[in-house]
Structure formats: structure tokens, C-alpha cells
Amino acid sequence: MRFLGRLLILVLVPVVGLLTLATYLTIYFSEASDRAYERVVHTYEVMETASAVLSDLQDAETGVRGFIITQQPTYLDPYNQAMARLPTRLSRLRELTVDEPDQVARVNAMEQVANDRLNILKEAVEALGRSEREVVIQNVASGRGKRLMDQFRGLLTEFLAIQRRLLDEGQADSKQSDRRTLYTA
């Protein structure tokens, strides 16, 4: 009987130890998988927010362009909406990238260029309000607004390229964590 008890202990202790280790590894890899998935979701949110900033700038341009052509105030609706949304979106983009100093620097540069572009649009709206159509035409002909939008797009392209790299890395980490979790489960 004593022999059976010792044999049972010799068999059960390693089995319980292995089960405990397997449980620990499953939990550990599952948490790692969750963190990797959260990084992927976060990167998508960063990319979506950055793209929304560009969309707002384009909406502002479109609204002012329509107003310049028609002088109908309703064409300024997209411009006004973009002016209201842009500060919040840029702030959110900065918050989302706070752990990436190079990206924060790009967000700051994009914000400066966006503000410069919005100021030009605001000047155009104000000039039309004073019936200074020639000032607006000269301003558009100078190409300053186009250069700013080209500069913004260049900054955004760099920004999104970094985010795509982070997304690829995050997706690879997520797949690897999922495989590890599956193997230990």
C-alpha cells in the first residue's frame, strides 16, 4: 500500500506541475496575444484619425472653393465643419502617438501646415466678404495653398508609412502570440 502511495505521488506531482505550467503559459501567451491585438487596433485608429485630418482639410478647401465660385454661404458648411473638427482630431492624433516622439513631431508639423492652409482659406472667405474678389484670385494664383497641401500630404505619407510598418509588426506579433496560445492550450 505504501508503495502505491509513493507511486501515485511520483506520478501525480509531475502531472500537476505540467498542468500548472501549461495553464500559466496559456494565460501568459493569451495576455500577450491580447496586447498585440490592442496594438493593431490602436495603429488602425491612428491611421484613421490621420486620414480624417486630411479629409477635413480637403473639405475645408472644397467648401471655400464652392463659396469663391458661387458666393453662396451654404458652400461654407464643409469649411465650417472642418474648422470645428480639426483641432480635436489633431489633438487626438497627438494623444494616440504620445509614445512615439518622432510621430508626435510629424503631427506637430502637420498641424502647423494645416493651420497655415486654414489661415489662407480664412483670408479668402474674409476677402470675399469685403468684395475683394481680385485679392482671392491673386492668392489662389500664387500657388501658396497648393504648396501647403502638397507639404501636408508629404508629411502624412511619411507618418502613415511609419504606422503601416508598426501595423505589420503588430500583426506579426499578434499571429505569433495566437500560435503560442494555441500550442499551449
Side-chain angles (χ1 to χ4, degrees):
M1 196 52 124
R2 201 170 211 196
F3 173 75
L4 233 57
R6 283 189 176 174
L7 182 61
L8 190 59
I9 289 173
L10 286 173
V11 171
L12 283 180
V13 168
V15 169
V16 169
L18 286 174
L19 287 174
T20 303
L21 178 63
T23 301
Y24 169 79
L25 289 175
T26 300
I27 292 169
Y28 175 81
F29 289 132
S30 179
E31 289 173 354
S33 180
D34 289 347
R35 285 189 303 273
Y37 176 76
E38 287 170 11
R39 281 195 315 272
V40 168
V41 169
H42 173 84
T43 304
Y44 274 121
E45 183 180 1
V46 171
M47 293 170 72
E48 182 180 307
T49 304
S51 295
V53 170
L54 175 61
S55 179
D56 282 342
L57 275 176
Q58 290 170 330
D59 287 350
E61 279 189 328
T62 300
V64 172
R65 188 177 303 118
F67 180 64
I68 290 170
I69 293 168
T70 67
Q71 295 188 355
Q72 298 293 316
T74 57
Y75 280 86
L76 289 175
D77 290 346
Y79 164 79
N80 291 324
Q81 291 167 1
M83 292 289 281
R85 284 189 306 251
L86 269 167
T88 303
R89 287 202 170 137
L90 284 163
S91 177
R92 179 67 180 145
L93 193 56
R94 190 174 294 100
E95 289 171 16
L96 289 168
T97 58
V98 74
D99 59 338
E100 302 166 41
D102 289 344
Q103 290 295 71
V104 171
R106 282 184 186 86
V107 171
N108 291 338
M110 286 189 293
E111 182 174 35
Q112 182 60 54
V113 172
N115 286 335
D116 290 348
R117 181 62 183 124
L118 292 174
N119 285 334
I120 291 172
L121 293 172
K122 183 179 178 187
E123 290 170 10
V125 170
E126 290 171 353
L128 277 176
R130 296 185 306 264
S131 298
E132 297 174 354
R133 193 170 182 79
E134 284 305 312
V135 170
V136 174
I137 291 170
Q138 288 173 357
N139 202 353
V140 171
S142 76
R144 203 170 97 212
K146 181 187 180 319
R147 284 191 301 275
L148 286 169
M149 282 303 288
D150 290 345
Q151 184 181 357
F152 183 88
R153 285 186 183 98
L155 289 166
L156 181 64
T157 298
E158 291 173 17
F159 181 90
L160 290 174
I162 302 280
Q163 291 306 127
R164 280 189 204 95
R165 181 182 53 77
L166 292 172
L167 178 63
D168 291 344
E169 290 170 5
Q171 287 174 330
D173 288 348
S174 182
K175 286 178 185 176
Q176 185 177 19
S177 293
D178 288 348
R179 279 193 300 271
R180 287 179 181 155
T181 301
L182 184 62
Y183 293 145
T184 59

